[in-house]
Amino acid sequence: MEFKGRDVISINDFSTAEIEHILKIAKEMVPIAQGKKKSNLLDGYILSTVFFEPSTRTRLSFESAMNRLGGRVIDFGDVKKTSVKKGETLADTIKMMSSYSDVIVLRHSSEGAARMASEFSDRPVLNGGDGTGQHPTQTMLDLFTIKDKLGAIKNRHIVFVGDLKYGRTAHSLAYALSKFGAKLTFVSPQSLAMPKEIIQALKKEGTAIDKTQDLQKAVETADVLYVTRIQKERFPDPAEYRKVSGVYKITDKLLENAKKMMIVMHPLPRVDEISPEVDCTEHAVYFEQAFNGVPVRMALLALVLGKRR
Ligand code: NCD
């Protein structure tokens, strides 16, 4: 298992053994992520964050992770204030950033952008979300959360709800869960269904897959309810968005017949798909899930920089 110098572009580039190893190191990082233990593991290293799309958690949890490990961060900032505005290509931007830092996190609006960037960078590129493609580091923190809360992933029933067509977090998580032997149910309006090619790939792995529009019924047998935002910004036509916005709403009442141990996850930000009253239930783990981004990203940074094995 070699992580040093490695890019993190697609969750499919990692075996289950490799993912387990990352999660194990992440677990060790928790006290440092909480600020209870100090570390200088990444002293002298620089991370650059290059975000072409809005972000709160991904960018800041990477930043927190790097700072907690004694490293430093340079942020590309608002794209409109950079030479991208003058027409500089992504390839040139990345080449330059790779000469200013030791590792790069990139978020871009085009699927495939992170893969392309990695070809132009001498330093590891971590995909912080490429359009409607993938979001592998989110998937690792999602898996960390599921294992932490439920112990195991195999044979667990994960119900995905929301925007499964454009949702990159749902795409990469579905791939990973399938490798770990989970059972998956997809709940979405027809127009936001999980892409066919992903379903085919999951079936090829032998994953049990169910599709339904009946959320209430799916919730009753769920171990995890993975809620996603209907992403207004991805719709080519605002009228299409209006047709589906607000169709699924997670309320106390919906969870009445859920298993006691069932967890509700969400990559966040939420808009109105989970009502605030759910926050006070035992099921809600989304804020803890967001925290888990810090230790998981610490583990990834330490591994790709060769400071952990
Ligand atoms: C998600 C994203 O950007 O894909 N957020 C995140 O990284 N936690 C989900 C979203 O924007 O809805």
Side-chain angles (χ1 to χ4, degrees), residues 19-247:
I19 295 173
E20 300 264 18
H21 185 68
I22 296 164
L23 303 188
K24 188 180 129 238
I25 301 216
K27 189 88 190 159
E28 295 170 25
M29 295 287 184
V30 170
I32 308 169
Q34 289 169 330
K36 292 181 182 157
K37 204 173 137 188
K38 304 293 169 208
S39 168
N40 260 322
L41 188 66
L42 299 185
D43 182 25
Y45 288 89
I46 299 177
L47 161 71
S48 56
T49 51
V50 184
F51 281 66
F52 285 79
E53 280 192 337
S55 170
T56 301
R57 275 150 291 270
T58 305
R59 186 171 65 79
L60 292 172
S61 62
F62 263 114
E63 198 165 324
S64 175
M66 195 65 184
N67 281 305
R68 291 279 199 208
L69 290 176
R72 291 185 174 248
V73 182
I74 52 174
D75 178 44
F76 191 66
D78 183 351
V79 175
K80 288 197 234 40
K81 293 191 186 135
T82 67
S83 288
V84 171
K85 186 83 181 141
K86 303 179 189 170
E88 185 160 57
T89 62
L90 178 62
D92 285 3
T93 302
I94 290 295
K95 261 190 221 163
M96 208 192 55
M97 294 310 282
S98 84
S99 71
Y100 293 166
S101 57
D102 305 291
V103 53
I104 300 172
V105 184
L106 172 72
R107 169 170 288 186
H108 200 276
S109 51
S110 305
E111 184 172 350
R115 180 78 69 198
M116 193 202 92
S118 70
E119 283 155 20
F120 288 94
S121 173
D122 301 330
R123 310 292 189 161
V125 172
L126 312 184
N127 180 5
D130 61 330
T132 57
Q134 286 220 8
H135 197 344
T137 69
Q138 174 74 41
T139 295
M140 290 175 192
L141 76 91
D142 291 342
L143 296 170
F144 182 92
T145 307
I146 298 173
K147 281 184 78 105
D148 190 46
K149 293 288 167 191
L150 303 178
I153 300 176
K154 198 171 166 59
N155 293 327
R156 297 289 187 181
H157 179 206
I158 320 298
V159 175
F160 285 79
V161 58
D163 180 353
L164 309 184
K165 178 178 181 186
Y166 300 117
R168 55 193 173 202
T169 62
H171 298 166
S172 20
L173 183 59
Y175 280 123
L177 289 171
S178 147
K179 286 201 235 189
F180 278 98
K183 293 182 280 189
L184 312 180
T185 295
F186 299 130
V187 185
S188 74
Q190 196 59 46
S191 62
L192 293 178
M194 184 61 86
K196 278 201 190 74
E197 63 279 11
I198 298 185
I199 302 234
Q200 269 163 14
L202 302 177
K203 283 192 172 154
K204 228 168 142 185
E205 288 270 340
T207 307
I209 294 175
D210 202 9
K211 274 191 279 181
T212 175
Q213 300 200 351
D214 187 347
L215 178 59
Q216 176 77 57
K217 196 148 169 272
V219 163
E220 289 171 14
T221 55
D223 296 302
V224 177
L225 181 60
Y226 193 88
V227 189
T228 63
R229 178 175 68 92
I230 302 211
Q231 303 174 79
K232 192 176 182 181
E233 71 276 18
R234 307 252 183 242
F235 282 74
D237 178 359
E240 287 302 309
Y241 170 73
R242 284 194 293 276
K243 276 190 211 160
V244 290
S245 89
V247 283

